[in-house]
């Protein structure tokens, strides 16, 4: 159980993407200078003709941490919830969640969803162990209520923060573009792949008769 | 399940760790993500940051503006020839626009070293013409931003003579191209 935690990159997250693939997906494009959030300034590379450019070196590190965290949580059988209030990508996010066997919430977030869950859904509800925000703003350009609620219920959060978002309450923020379709498709693809990979590894580990470390690592090497 | 709902004090991790240390959360109820967070902590702790109500007084490190040496060449190109007749096909990753070809040719001629600024400009135009790209010159040259009244009259005169859109350029280092019709 603790074996995957000892290795720095057990799920080979760094092979899934590079700075070039992020650039081609236009992840580095931010909003205009006037929309910039004060707390996003450290994550910005610069400002080209009033449009903010996000520093992709930092994005790569943050995205690797975030994907690694999701992979480990999925490996341990955690419940992951995808949230995005952007209407144009709701279909994509729901299909992503279906594709990796996790959950998505792209509709109106009711006030007591997390904080009042036992009463709204019945006693003994299992809350998500990780919430992934593919866009941290709601339709009125304010911070999504779910970020604050997850912090209240002690649930870690991962979020794609654009240059007009507040990254302070997110456990693993990922600075990047959240408005372009190609960027969103990239994120959804990455999350789906890493969760499926983590679940497959979990199945491999369970199928072994005894989880002896050297034998397990050999088997994983041959099966991958 | 016990928990602490104070999102403004400390991070998610610190609250859960302290609850476990004090015995409110039993080790059997430890959250799944706790060990993972300890093994791979984020770069910056997710503390709640209070929003500033006063106007920002720190101006030490604003986000730097991005400009390149080639921007001067691009500014002169757009001022002289207007926005190119060929549209920017940005969905191709290796697309080279008219202005970019101009800039590349300019740098190449500059590295050969014989000519100076004004002559270089003409030479690049001729070289591109030789390669088969025709560059339509704009009628009137650029107007400075100082005289607004003369700019307005010039703009109306331009619209009559040229017929294409008009652009405004400033003489300072940062050039912004706005297309007005």
């Amino acid at each position: 159980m603790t074996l995957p935690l000892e290795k720095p990159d057990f799920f080979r997250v760094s092979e899934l993407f590079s700075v070039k693939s992020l650039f081609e997906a236009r992840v580095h494009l931010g909003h205009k200078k006037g929309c910039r959030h004060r707390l996003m300034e450290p994550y910005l590379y610069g400002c080209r003709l009033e449009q903010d450019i996000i520093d992709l070196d930092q994005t790569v590190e943050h995205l690797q941490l975030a994907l690694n965290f999701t992979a480990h949580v999925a490996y341990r059988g955690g419940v992951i919830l995808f949230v995005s209030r952007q209407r144009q990508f709701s279909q994509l996010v729901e299909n992503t969640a279906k594709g990796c066997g996790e959950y998505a919430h792209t509709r109106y977030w009711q006030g007591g969803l997390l904080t009042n869950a036992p009463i709204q859904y019945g006693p003994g509800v299992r809350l998500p162990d990780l919430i992934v925000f593919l866009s941290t703003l709601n339709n009125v350009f304010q911070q999504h209520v779910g970020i604050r609620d997850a912090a209240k219920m002690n649930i870690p959060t991962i979020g794609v923060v654009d240059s007009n978002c507040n990254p302070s309450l997110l456990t693993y923020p990922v600075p990047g573009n959240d408005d372009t379709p190609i960027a969103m498709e990239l994120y959804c693809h990455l999350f789906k792949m890493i969760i499926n990979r983590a679940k497959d590894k979990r199945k491999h580990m369970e199928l072994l008769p005894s989880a002896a470390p050297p034998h397990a690592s050999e088997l994983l090497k041959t099966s991958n | 399940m016990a928990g602490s709902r104070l999102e403004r004090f400390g991070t998610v991790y610190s609250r859960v760790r302290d609850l476990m240390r004090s015995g409110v959360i039993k080790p059997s109820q430890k959250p799944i993500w706790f060990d993972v967070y300890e093994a791979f902590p984020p770069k910056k702790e997710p503390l709640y940051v209070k929003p500033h109500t006063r106007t920002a007084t720190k101006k030490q490190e604003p986000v730097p503006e991005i400009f390149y040496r080639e921007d001067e060449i691009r500014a002169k190109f757009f001022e002289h020839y207007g926005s190119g007749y060929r549209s920017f096909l940005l969905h191709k990753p290796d697309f080279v626009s008219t202005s970019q070809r101009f800039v590349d040719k300019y740098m190449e001629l500059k590295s050969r070293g014989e000519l100076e600024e004004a002559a270089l400009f003409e030479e690049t135009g001729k070289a591109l013409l030789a390669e088969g790209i025709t560059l339509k010159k704009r009628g009137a040259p650029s107007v400075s931003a100082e005289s607004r009244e003369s700019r307005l009259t010039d703009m109306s005169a331009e619209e009559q003579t040229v017929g294409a859109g008009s652009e405004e350029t400033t003489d300072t280092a940062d050039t912004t191209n706005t297309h007005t019709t």
Side-chain angles (χ1 to χ4, degrees), chain B residues 9 31 34 40 43 50 58 67-68 88-89 92 104 116 120 124-125 129 131 147 162 168 177:
Chain B
F9 286 97
F34 194 75
F40 306 105
K43 290 188 148 237
K50 277 196 211 152
K58 86 159 174 135
F67 290 111
Y68 302 101
F88 282 79
L89 300 167
K92 280 199 292 181
D104 292 338
E116 18 128 276
L120 258 181
T124 9
L129 213 73
E131 281 178 19
S147 52
V162 181
E168 56 183 30
N177 289 322

Side-chain angles (χ1 to χ4, degrees), chain A residues 5 7-8 33 36 38-39 41 43-49 53 61-62 65 68-69 72-73 76-78 115 126 129 148 151-156 168-172, chain B residues 3-5 7 12 15-16 19 32-33 35-37 39-52 58 61 63-68 71 74 90 93 175-176:
Chain A
L5 289 180
K7 306 219 179 113
K33 192 162 83 169
R36 189 194 300 160
R38 175 178 67 96
L39 296 168
E41 277 165 15
Y43 300 119
L44 295 178
Y45 181 73
C47 184
R48 172 85 167 150
L49 297 179
I53 308 291
E61 293 165 350
H62 282 90
L65 277 173
N68 192 27
F69 190 82
H72 282 281
V73 169
R76 287 153 171 258
T115 42
R126 185 174 162 184
D129 301 298
R148 199 206 61 190
K152 274 191 189 287
M153 306 306 290
N154 297 331
I155 299 172
S168 60
L169 268 183
L170 291 159
T171 341
Y172 293 90
Chain B
S4 110
R5 293 196 179 193
E7 83 267 14
V12 182
R15 272 174 274 141
V16 172
L19 282 173
I32 295 178
W33 53 268
D35 293 324
V36 188
Y37 188 107
F40 306 105
K43 290 188 148 237
K44 187 178 160 313
E45 298 234 335
L47 285 166
Y48 175 74
V49 177
K50 277 196 211 152
H52 269 206
K58 86 159 174 135
E61 286 183 29
V63 174
E65 307 246 343
I66 303 174
F67 290 111
Y68 302 101
D71 280 347
R74 286 186 192 124
L90 288 174
T175 26
T176 54

Side-chain angles (χ1 to χ4, degrees), chain A residues 20-37:
Chain A
K20 187 157 168 65
S21 64
L22 290 181
F23 182 81
E24 280 169 3
R26 291 164 335 236
V27 162
H28 59 290
L29 300 173
H31 289 279
K32 289 279 188 180
K33 192 162 83 169
C35 299
R36 189 194 300 160
H37 194 94

Side-chain angles (χ1 to χ4, degrees), chain A residues 111-123:
Chain A
L113 206 75
L114 292 179
T115 42
N116 207 15
I119 303 175
Q120 285 198 340
Y121 292 104

Side-chain angles (χ1 to χ4, degrees), chain B residues 21-147:
Chain B
R21 208 159 56 167
S22 67
V24 179
I25 297 183
K26 307 278 178 290
S28 58
Q29 293 170 328
K30 184 164 77 164
I32 295 178
W33 53 268
F34 194 75
D35 293 324
V36 188
Y37 188 107
E38 282 191 317
F40 306 105
K43 290 188 148 237
K44 187 178 160 313
E45 298 234 335
L47 285 166
Y48 175 74
V49 177
K50 277 196 211 152
H52 269 206
T53 42
R54 297 215 193 124
T55 50
T57 43
K58 86 159 174 135
K59 289 284 182 193
Q60 303 119 5
E61 286 183 29
V63 174
E65 307 246 343
I66 303 174
F67 290 111
Y68 302 101
R69 291 252 157 239
E70 294 92 347
D71 280 347
E72 297 170 358
I73 311 170
R74 286 186 192 124
K76 283 211 331 234
F77 170 80
F78 281 116
E79 161 200 327
H80 207 71
Y81 293 115
S83 57
Y85 61 93
R86 199 158 67 126
S87 51
F88 282 79
L89 300 167
L90 288 174
H91 54 90
K92 280 199 292 181
D94 53 347
F95 175 76
V96 181
S97 63
T98 327
S99 60
Q100 188 55 37
R101 288 187 70 161
F102 188 91
V103 166
D104 292 338
K105 183 65 63 174
Y106 191 98
M107 301 306 282
E108 195 189 311
L109 289 178
K110 192 167 178 181
S111 64
R112 292 205 208 136
E114 308 106 25
L115 312 159
E116 18 128 276
E117 296 291 326
L120 258 181
F121 205 76
E122 304 296 324
E123 284 303 311
T124 9
K126 285 181 210 160
L128 277 184
L129 213 73
E131 281 178 19
I133 307 174
T134 44
L135 298 166
K136 232 183 341 172
K137 277 194 192 171
R138 279 186 62 221
S142 75
V143 278
S144 62
E146 283 112 30
S147 52

